[in-house]
Amino acid sequence: MPITKTNAMRILDTRKIAYEVHLYDNEDGQIHGTAVAVKVGLPPETVFKTLVAHSGANLYVYVIPVAEELDLKKAAKAAGEKKIEMLPVKDLLKWTGYVRGGCSPIGMKKLYPTFIDSSAEALGTMAVSGGKIGMQMELAPEQLAGVVNAGFCALVK
């Protein structure tokens, strides 16, 4: 079955960045990160979720391991803000073009300041959402960082 390319994949293709697509069944409604890791057969420490937070009108993107929780103090420090809070799920589509469970750090409506948890630096590859529910893309952490102009820093509790 041919895979329908997402905006995130087209961006990687344009930049000639290698990635592997992992599809999974989401009919059971289990789209949280650790369930996705099991479904695609990857260790949870290599599968990352994309979170969006804000400080006032400024949005920030954080890419962290699926089994971890974003430390808002560390996230604010990384962004150079005093305080940040999570973007409400109802606002995700409006600002990023993505829905919960299908939010990729690549191909958002705008290129927001992006930070990847430092644990990714030690990995050969990491998986992030392919831009829609049921799809993950596996690529090299440094390649992801280059595409979204991200920095690596400690982000989890």
Side-chain angles (χ1 to χ4, degrees), residues 9-37:
M9 293 171 165
R10 286 190 287 276
I11 290 168
L12 293 177
D13 290 345
T14 300
R15 296 195 181 201
K16 297 183 178 17
I17 293 173
Y19 61 95
E20 183 178 346
V21 175
H22 299 276
L23 301 176
Y24 63 92
D25 181 9
N26 62 320
E27 293 297 315
D28 61 4
Q30 297 296 309
I31 60 169
H32 61 84
T34 49
V36 169

PDB file of all heavy atoms in Angstrom, residues 9-37:
ATOM      1  N   MET A   9       7.064  14.888   5.564  1.00  0.00           N
ATOM      2  CA  MET A   9       7.856  14.018   4.682  1.00  0.00           C
ATOM      3  C   MET A   9       8.338  14.771   3.453  1.00  0.00           C
ATOM      4  O   MET A   9       9.478  14.586   3.023  1.00  0.00           O
ATOM      5  CB  MET A   9       7.017  12.829   4.231  1.00  0.00           C
ATOM      6  CG  MET A   9       6.658  11.886   5.317  1.00  0.00           C
ATOM      7  SD  MET A   9       5.469  10.745   4.616  1.00  0.00           S
ATOM      8  CE  MET A   9       5.495   9.488   5.830  1.00  0.00           C
ATOM      9  N   ARG A  10       7.471  15.603   2.888  1.00  0.00           N
ATOM     10  CA  ARG A  10       7.873  16.375   1.705  1.00  0.00           C
ATOM     11  C   ARG A  10       9.042  17.305   2.036  1.00  0.00           C
ATOM     12  O   ARG A  10       9.958  17.475   1.219  1.00  0.00           O
ATOM     13  CB  ARG A  10       6.679  17.163   1.151  1.00  0.00           C
ATOM     14  CG  ARG A  10       5.674  16.266   0.415  1.00  0.00           C
ATOM     15  CD  ARG A  10       4.619  17.058  -0.331  1.00  0.00           C
ATOM     16  NE  ARG A  10       3.645  17.675   0.559  1.00  0.00           N
ATOM     17  CZ  ARG A  10       2.568  17.061   1.050  1.00  0.00           C
ATOM     18  NH1 ARG A  10       2.327  15.812   0.730  1.00  0.00           N
ATOM     19  NH2 ARG A  10       1.740  17.699   1.847  1.00  0.00           N
ATOM     20  N   ILE A  11       9.031  17.882   3.229  1.00  0.00           N
ATOM     21  CA  ILE A  11      10.138  18.749   3.644  1.00  0.00           C
ATOM     22  C   ILE A  11      11.431  17.938   3.732  1.00  0.00           C
ATOM     23  O   ILE A  11      12.479  18.371   3.248  1.00  0.00           O
ATOM     24  CB  ILE A  11       9.812  19.458   4.978  1.00  0.00           C
ATOM     25  CG1 ILE A  11       8.713  20.504   4.743  1.00  0.00           C
ATOM     26  CG2 ILE A  11      11.055  20.093   5.594  1.00  0.00           C
ATOM     27  CD1 ILE A  11       8.105  21.076   6.009  1.00  0.00           C
ATOM     28  N   LEU A  12      11.365  16.747   4.331  1.00  0.00           N
ATOM     29  CA  LEU A  12      12.559  15.890   4.431  1.00  0.00           C
ATOM     30  C   LEU A  12      13.023  15.464   3.040  1.00  0.00           C
ATOM     31  O   LEU A  12      14.227  15.453   2.763  1.00  0.00           O
ATOM     32  CB  LEU A  12      12.273  14.668   5.303  1.00  0.00           C
ATOM     33  CG  LEU A  12      12.028  14.949   6.783  1.00  0.00           C
ATOM     34  CD1 LEU A  12      11.684  13.660   7.520  1.00  0.00           C
ATOM     35  CD2 LEU A  12      13.223  15.627   7.426  1.00  0.00           C
ATOM     36  N   ASP A  13      12.087  15.125   2.156  1.00  0.00           N
ATOM     37  CA  ASP A  13      12.440  14.726   0.795  1.00  0.00           C
ATOM     38  C   ASP A  13      13.146  15.866   0.064  1.00  0.00           C
ATOM     39  O   ASP A  13      14.160  15.652  -0.612  1.00  0.00           O
ATOM     40  CB  ASP A  13      11.196  14.312   0.000  1.00  0.00           C
ATOM     41  CG  ASP A  13      10.582  13.000   0.483  1.00  0.00           C
ATOM     42  OD1 ASP A  13      11.250  12.257   1.230  1.00  0.00           O
ATOM     43  OD2 ASP A  13       9.423  12.739   0.104  1.00  0.00           O
ATOM     44  N   THR A  14      12.613  17.074   0.193  1.00  0.00           N
ATOM     45  CA  THR A  14      13.207  18.249  -0.470  1.00  0.00           C
ATOM     46  C   THR A  14      14.643  18.461  -0.004  1.00  0.00           C
ATOM     47  O   THR A  14      15.506  18.818  -0.804  1.00  0.00           O
ATOM     48  CB  THR A  14      12.362  19.514  -0.153  1.00  0.00           C
ATOM     49  OG1 THR A  14      11.046  19.302  -0.645  1.00  0.00           O
ATOM     50  CG2 THR A  14      12.949  20.746  -0.809  1.00  0.00           C
ATOM     51  N   ARG A  15      14.894  18.202   1.268  1.00  0.00           N
ATOM     52  CA  ARG A  15      16.246  18.392   1.819  1.00  0.00           C
ATOM     53  C   ARG A  15      17.111  17.145   1.685  1.00  0.00           C
ATOM     54  O   ARG A  15      18.222  17.109   2.212  1.00  0.00           O
ATOM     55  CB  ARG A  15      16.147  18.811   3.279  1.00  0.00           C
ATOM     56  CG  ARG A  15      15.480  20.156   3.421  1.00  0.00           C
ATOM     57  CD  ARG A  15      15.711  20.691   4.774  1.00  0.00           C
ATOM     58  NE  ARG A  15      15.063  21.969   4.950  1.00  0.00           N
ATOM     59  CZ  ARG A  15      15.411  22.841   5.863  1.00  0.00           C
ATOM     60  NH1 ARG A  15      16.401  22.581   6.680  1.00  0.00           N
ATOM     61  NH2 ARG A  15      14.768  23.976   5.976  1.00  0.00           N
ATOM     62  N   LYS A  16      16.563  16.122   1.027  1.00  0.00           N
ATOM     63  CA  LYS A  16      17.290  14.860   0.815  1.00  0.00           C
ATOM     64  C   LYS A  16      17.766  14.236   2.140  1.00  0.00           C
ATOM     65  O   LYS A  16      18.895  13.752   2.250  1.00  0.00           O
ATOM     66  CB  LYS A  16      18.448  15.055  -0.162  1.00  0.00           C
ATOM     67  CG  LYS A  16      17.956  15.470  -1.550  1.00  0.00           C
ATOM     68  CD  LYS A  16      19.084  15.600  -2.531  1.00  0.00           C
ATOM     69  CE  LYS A  16      18.682  15.964  -3.932  1.00  0.00           C
ATOM     70  NZ  LYS A  16      17.408  16.517  -4.218  1.00  0.00           N
ATOM     71  N   ILE A  17      16.882  14.257   3.125  1.00  0.00           N
ATOM     72  CA  ILE A  17      17.167  13.670   4.434  1.00  0.00           C
ATOM     73  C   ILE A  17      16.510  12.294   4.493  1.00  0.00           C
ATOM     74  O   ILE A  17      15.312  12.150   4.237  1.00  0.00           O
ATOM     75  CB  ILE A  17      16.660  14.576   5.569  1.00  0.00           C
ATOM     76  CG1 ILE A  17      17.483  15.871   5.580  1.00  0.00           C
ATOM     77  CG2 ILE A  17      16.745  13.864   6.921  1.00  0.00           C
ATOM     78  CD1 ILE A  17      16.984  16.925   6.535  1.00  0.00           C
ATOM     79  N   ALA A  18      17.313  11.296   4.837  1.00  0.00           N
ATOM     80  CA  ALA A  18      16.816   9.923   4.919  1.00  0.00           C
ATOM     81  C   ALA A  18      15.941   9.742   6.159  1.00  0.00           C
ATOM     82  O   ALA A  18      16.260  10.254   7.232  1.00  0.00           O
ATOM     83  CB  ALA A  18      17.990   8.955   4.972  1.00  0.00           C
ATOM     84  N   TYR A  19      14.835   9.015   5.983  1.00  0.00           N
ATOM     85  CA  TYR A  19      13.959   8.694   7.102  1.00  0.00           C
ATOM     86  C   TYR A  19      13.223   7.403   6.773  1.00  0.00           C
ATOM     87  O   TYR A  19      13.116   7.014   5.617  1.00  0.00           O
ATOM     88  CB  TYR A  19      12.953   9.830   7.374  1.00  0.00           C
ATOM     89  CG  TYR A  19      12.020  10.120   6.226  1.00  0.00           C
ATOM     90  CD1 TYR A  19      10.755   9.534   6.169  1.00  0.00           C
ATOM     91  CD2 TYR A  19      12.393  10.963   5.187  1.00  0.00           C
ATOM     92  CE1 TYR A  19       9.899   9.790   5.111  1.00  0.00           C
ATOM     93  CE2 TYR A  19      11.543  11.226   4.119  1.00  0.00           C
ATOM     94  CZ  TYR A  19      10.294  10.639   4.095  1.00  0.00           C
ATOM     95  OH  TYR A  19       9.453  10.884   3.038  1.00  0.00           O
ATOM     96  N   GLU A  20      12.750   6.756   7.813  1.00  0.00           N
ATOM     97  CA  GLU A  20      11.965   5.534   7.639  1.00  0.00           C
ATOM     98  C   GLU A  20      10.588   5.779   8.227  1.00  0.00           C
ATOM     99  O   GLU A  20      10.458   6.351   9.304  1.00  0.00           O
ATOM    100  CB  GLU A  20      12.650   4.374   8.375  1.00  0.00           C
ATOM    101  CG  GLU A  20      11.948   3.056   8.189  1.00  0.00           C
ATOM    102  CD  GLU A  20      12.654   1.906   8.887  1.00  0.00           C
ATOM    103  OE1 GLU A  20      13.815   2.063   9.302  1.00  0.00           O
ATOM    104  OE2 GLU A  20      12.021   0.843   9.017  1.00  0.00           O
ATOM    105  N   VAL A  21       9.555   5.355   7.520  1.00  0.00           N
ATOM    106  CA  VAL A  21       8.184   5.529   7.971  1.00  0.00           C
ATOM    107  C   VAL A  21       7.714   4.273   8.703  1.00  0.00           C
ATOM    108  O   VAL A  21       7.958   3.158   8.237  1.00  0.00           O
ATOM    109  CB  VAL A  21       7.240   5.822   6.779  1.00  0.00           C
ATOM    110  CG1 VAL A  21       5.788   5.887   7.230  1.00  0.00           C
ATOM    111  CG2 VAL A  21       7.647   7.117   6.092  1.00  0.00           C
ATOM    112  N   HIS A  22       7.074   4.477   9.836  1.00  0.00           N
ATOM    113  CA  HIS A  22       6.469   3.387  10.601  1.00  0.00           C
ATOM    114  C   HIS A  22       4.982   3.709  10.736  1.00  0.00           C
ATOM    115  O   HIS A  22       4.621   4.740  11.303  1.00  0.00           O
ATOM    116  CB  HIS A  22       7.078   3.283  12.003  1.00  0.00           C
ATOM    117  CG  HIS A  22       8.540   2.995  12.016  1.00  0.00           C
ATOM    118  ND1 HIS A  22       9.048   1.721  11.915  1.00  0.00           N
ATOM    119  CD2 HIS A  22       9.604   3.824  12.105  1.00  0.00           C
ATOM    120  CE1 HIS A  22      10.376   1.785  11.952  1.00  0.00           C
ATOM    121  NE2 HIS A  22      10.733   3.045  12.062  1.00  0.00           N
ATOM    122  N   LEU A  23       4.146   2.829  10.189  1.00  0.00           N
ATOM    123  CA  LEU A  23       2.695   3.005  10.306  1.00  0.00           C
ATOM    124  C   LEU A  23       2.181   2.159  11.458  1.00  0.00           C
ATOM    125  O   LEU A  23       2.741   1.109  11.764  1.00  0.00           O
ATOM    126  CB  LEU A  23       2.007   2.581   9.007  1.00  0.00           C
ATOM    127  CG  LEU A  23       2.432   3.325   7.744  1.00  0.00           C
ATOM    128  CD1 LEU A  23       1.740   2.745   6.522  1.00  0.00           C
ATOM    129  CD2 LEU A  23       2.149   4.816   7.864  1.00  0.00           C
ATOM    130  N   TYR A  24       1.131   2.625  12.116  1.00  0.00           N
ATOM    131  CA  TYR A  24       0.521   1.834  13.180  1.00  0.00           C
ATOM    132  C   TYR A  24      -0.992   2.020  13.154  1.00  0.00           C
ATOM    133  O   TYR A  24      -1.504   3.018  12.650  1.00  0.00           O
ATOM    134  CB  TYR A  24       1.103   2.190  14.550  1.00  0.00           C
ATOM    135  CG  TYR A  24       0.846   3.619  14.994  1.00  0.00           C
ATOM    136  CD1 TYR A  24      -0.275   3.946  15.760  1.00  0.00           C
ATOM    137  CD2 TYR A  24       1.731   4.641  14.656  1.00  0.00           C
ATOM    138  CE1 TYR A  24      -0.511   5.253  16.162  1.00  0.00           C
ATOM    139  CE2 TYR A  24       1.505   5.945  15.062  1.00  0.00           C
ATOM    140  CZ  TYR A  24       0.382   6.243  15.822  1.00  0.00           C
ATOM    141  OH  TYR A  24       0.146   7.534  16.225  1.00  0.00           O
ATOM    142  N   ASP A  25      -1.672   1.028  13.701  1.00  0.00           N
ATOM    143  CA  ASP A  25      -3.131   1.036  13.753  1.00  0.00           C
ATOM    144  C   ASP A  25      -3.573   1.878  14.945  1.00  0.00           C
ATOM    145  O   ASP A  25      -3.142   1.643  16.063  1.00  0.00           O
ATOM    146  CB  ASP A  25      -3.635  -0.396  13.896  1.00  0.00           C
ATOM    147  CG  ASP A  25      -5.152  -0.488  13.935  1.00  0.00           C
ATOM    148  OD1 ASP A  25      -5.822   0.531  13.680  1.00  0.00           O
ATOM    149  OD2 ASP A  25      -5.654  -1.581  14.227  1.00  0.00           O
ATOM    150  N   ASN A  26      -4.436   2.844  14.698  1.00  0.00           N
ATOM    151  CA  ASN A  26      -4.917   3.712  15.776  1.00  0.00           C
ATOM    152  C   ASN A  26      -6.421   3.538  16.010  1.00  0.00           C
ATOM    153  O   ASN A  26      -7.040   4.336  16.700  1.00  0.00           O
ATOM    154  CB  ASN A  26      -4.578   5.172  15.480  1.00  0.00           C
ATOM    155  CG  ASN A  26      -5.239   5.675  14.211  1.00  0.00           C
ATOM    156  OD1 ASN A  26      -5.310   4.960  13.223  1.00  0.00           O
ATOM    157  ND2 ASN A  26      -5.705   6.896  14.230  1.00  0.00           N
ATOM    158  N   GLU A  27      -6.985   2.490  15.441  1.00  0.00           N
ATOM    159  CA  GLU A  27      -8.429   2.250  15.582  1.00  0.00           C
ATOM    160  C   GLU A  27      -8.845   2.052  17.043  1.00  0.00           C
ATOM    161  O   GLU A  27      -9.985   2.320  17.398  1.00  0.00           O
ATOM    162  CB  GLU A  27      -8.856   1.032  14.754  1.00  0.00           C
ATOM    163  CG  GLU A  27      -8.752   1.235  13.252  1.00  0.00           C
ATOM    164  CD  GLU A  27      -9.680   2.329  12.728  1.00  0.00           C
ATOM    165  OE1 GLU A  27     -10.852   2.356  13.125  1.00  0.00           O
ATOM    166  OE2 GLU A  27      -9.214   3.163  11.935  1.00  0.00           O
ATOM    167  N   ASP A  28      -7.924   1.562  17.880  1.00  0.00           N
ATOM    168  CA  ASP A  28      -8.255   1.332  19.290  1.00  0.00           C
ATOM    169  C   ASP A  28      -8.208   2.613  20.116  1.00  0.00           C
ATOM    170  O   ASP A  28      -8.468   2.600  21.313  1.00  0.00           O
ATOM    171  CB  ASP A  28      -7.334   0.267  19.899  1.00  0.00           C
ATOM    172  CG  ASP A  28      -5.855   0.663  19.860  1.00  0.00           C
ATOM    173  OD1 ASP A  28      -5.516   1.790  19.436  1.00  0.00           O
ATOM    174  OD2 ASP A  28      -5.028  -0.180  20.264  1.00  0.00           O
ATOM    175  N   GLY A  29      -7.822   3.741  19.491  1.00  0.00           N
ATOM    176  CA  GLY A  29      -7.756   5.022  20.200  1.00  0.00           C
ATOM    177  C   GLY A  29      -6.503   5.212  21.025  1.00  0.00           C
ATOM    178  O   GLY A  29      -6.316   6.254  21.639  1.00  0.00           O
ATOM    179  N   GLN A  30      -5.650   4.199  21.051  1.00  0.00           N
ATOM    180  CA  GLN A  30      -4.408   4.282  21.831  1.00  0.00           C
ATOM    181  C   GLN A  30      -3.337   5.006  21.013  1.00  0.00           C
ATOM    182  O   GLN A  30      -2.605   4.392  20.245  1.00  0.00           O
ATOM    183  CB  GLN A  30      -3.926   2.881  22.225  1.00  0.00           C
ATOM    184  CG  GLN A  30      -4.883   2.130  23.115  1.00  0.00           C
ATOM    185  CD  GLN A  30      -5.061   2.809  24.469  1.00  0.00           C
ATOM    186  OE1 GLN A  30      -4.095   3.138  25.150  1.00  0.00           O
ATOM    187  NE2 GLN A  30      -6.298   3.039  24.853  1.00  0.00           N
ATOM    188  N   ILE A  31      -3.288   6.341  21.174  1.00  0.00           N
ATOM    189  CA  ILE A  31      -2.318   7.133  20.407  1.00  0.00           C
ATOM    190  C   ILE A  31      -1.297   7.820  21.310  1.00  0.00           C
ATOM    191  O   ILE A  31      -0.513   8.632  20.856  1.00  0.00           O
ATOM    192  CB  ILE A  31      -3.024   8.182  19.510  1.00  0.00           C
ATOM    193  CG1 ILE A  31      -3.859   9.148  20.340  1.00  0.00           C
ATOM    194  CG2 ILE A  31      -3.852   7.494  18.438  1.00  0.00           C
ATOM    195  CD1 ILE A  31      -4.378  10.351  19.574  1.00  0.00           C
ATOM    196  N   HIS A  32      -1.318   7.467  22.616  1.00  0.00           N
ATOM    197  CA  HIS A  32      -0.313   8.062  23.504  1.00  0.00           C
ATOM    198  C   HIS A  32       1.045   7.439  23.198  1.00  0.00           C
ATOM    199  O   HIS A  32       1.143   6.336  22.658  1.00  0.00           O
ATOM    200  CB  HIS A  32      -0.712   7.918  24.973  1.00  0.00           C
ATOM    201  CG  HIS A  32      -0.852   6.505  25.436  1.00  0.00           C
ATOM    202  ND1 HIS A  32       0.216   5.758  25.855  1.00  0.00           N
ATOM    203  CD2 HIS A  32      -1.936   5.692  25.522  1.00  0.00           C
ATOM    204  CE1 HIS A  32      -0.191   4.552  26.189  1.00  0.00           C
ATOM    205  NE2 HIS A  32      -1.505   4.480  25.977  1.00  0.00           N
ATOM    206  N   GLY A  33       2.082   8.155  23.518  1.00  0.00           N
ATOM    207  CA  GLY A  33       3.431   7.819  23.098  1.00  0.00           C
ATOM    208  C   GLY A  33       3.927   6.423  23.389  1.00  0.00           C
ATOM    209  O   GLY A  33       4.509   5.774  22.521  1.00  0.00           O
ATOM    210  N   THR A  34       3.724   5.933  24.610  1.00  0.00           N
ATOM    211  CA  THR A  34       4.253   4.607  24.921  1.00  0.00           C
ATOM    212  C   THR A  34       3.506   3.525  24.138  1.00  0.00           C
ATOM    213  O   THR A  34       4.113   2.544  23.716  1.00  0.00           O
ATOM    214  CB  THR A  34       4.214   4.328  26.439  1.00  0.00           C
ATOM    215  OG1 THR A  34       2.913   4.651  26.944  1.00  0.00           O
ATOM    216  CG2 THR A  34       5.255   5.151  27.181  1.00  0.00           C
ATOM    217  N   ALA A  35       2.203   3.715  23.912  1.00  0.00           N
ATOM    218  CA  ALA A  35       1.448   2.753  23.092  1.00  0.00           C
ATOM    219  C   ALA A  35       1.961   2.775  21.660  1.00  0.00           C
ATOM    220  O   ALA A  35       2.103   1.721  21.035  1.00  0.00           O
ATOM    221  CB  ALA A  35      -0.051   3.083  23.127  1.00  0.00           C
ATOM    222  N   VAL A  36       2.267   3.957  21.150  1.00  0.00           N
ATOM    223  CA  VAL A  36       2.793   4.085  19.789  1.00  0.00           C
ATOM    224  C   VAL A  36       4.141   3.380  19.675  1.00  0.00           C
ATOM    225  O   VAL A  36       4.393   2.662  18.707  1.00  0.00           O
ATOM    226  CB  VAL A  36       2.897   5.570  19.367  1.00  0.00           C
ATOM    227  CG1 VAL A  36       3.680   5.724  18.075  1.00  0.00           C
ATOM    228  CG2 VAL A  36       1.506   6.181  19.234  1.00  0.00           C
ATOM    229  N   ALA A  37       5.007   3.547  20.673  1.00  0.00           N
ATOM    230  CA  ALA A  37       6.318   2.885  20.648  1.00  0.00           C
ATOM    231  C   ALA A  37       6.153   1.378  20.529  1.00  0.00           C
ATOM    232  O   ALA A  37       6.836   0.727  19.729  1.00  0.00           O
ATOM    233  CB  ALA A  37       7.119   3.250  21.902  1.00  0.00           C
TER     234      ALA A  37
END
